[in-house]
Amino acid sequence: MRTKDVKILAVDDSKSMRQMVSMSLKSAGHDVTEAEDGAIALSIAKQNQFDLIVTDINMPNMNGIELVTALRAMPNYKFTPILCLTTESSGDMKTKGKEAGATGWIVKPFSPEKLLSVIDRVL
């Protein structure tokens, strides 16, 4: 798969953060869909297949850990890379993310270059 044709779901309750992630990814040629919380992201993911999901952890309605767990329970998302992009940097929270099935962990604030290099690595 060429990294230019990648469909990415970006999930964050902060509109400015979603826009920043989305712009960074779109500038690299990715197709980005945005969701403002885990519940909305899950319903979008049930209707579309994404190649990668980037999610925040602390969100209303359904947090990132719950989202990762729910996605991993779906056969078509068992092996899809899921990156957590969050202000959470504690080892405890990272362990929860890993146990839920997260592929990687990026701590905010992040640089677009770092995000793109991690994405290129996991795809």
Side-chain angles (χ1 to χ4, degrees):
M1 171 189 327
R2 281 191 20 255
T3 52
K4 293 284 184 241
D5 307 322
V6 177
K7 287 181 66 170
I8 300 175
L9 178 57
V11 191
D12 201 306
D13 55 330
S14 157
K15 186 175 172 52
S16 59
M17 185 53 71
R18 270 198 322 274
Q19 288 173 331
M20 200 164 100
V21 169
S22 191
M23 275 178 16
S24 304
L25 298 174
K26 285 178 176 169
S27 71
H30 300 305
D31 177 6
V32 183
T33 301
E34 296 178 26
E36 55 265 23
D37 69 41
I40 292 168
L42 188 59
S43 96
I44 292 171
K46 286 179 177 169
Q47 294 159 22
N48 305 278
Q49 181 63 44
F50 292 93
D51 303 306
L52 174 80
I53 294 159
V54 178
T55 183
D56 187 17
I57 294 296
N58 300 312
M59 299 179 288
N61 305 322
M62 177 188 259
N63 69 37
I65 301 287
E66 293 164 336
L67 174 61
V68 173
T69 303
L71 289 167
R72 288 296 183 224
M74 297 164 56
N76 54 332
Y77 282 103
K78 228 178 209 25
F79 305 108
T80 303
I82 302 174
L83 298 175
C84 296
L85 178 63
T86 177
T87 54
E88 291 283 349
S89 59
S90 75
D92 185 42
M93 195 54 94
K94 288 180 183 170
T95 301
K96 282 186 180 145
K98 209 173 231 41
E99 286 169 355
T103 313
W105 198 273
I106 302 169
V107 178
K108 297 174 187 171
F110 70 98
S111 71
E113 299 76 32
K114 171 138 174 58
L115 179 64
L116 292 168
S117 92
V118 172
I119 287 172
D120 286 342
R121 263 207 316 272
V122 298
L123 287 173

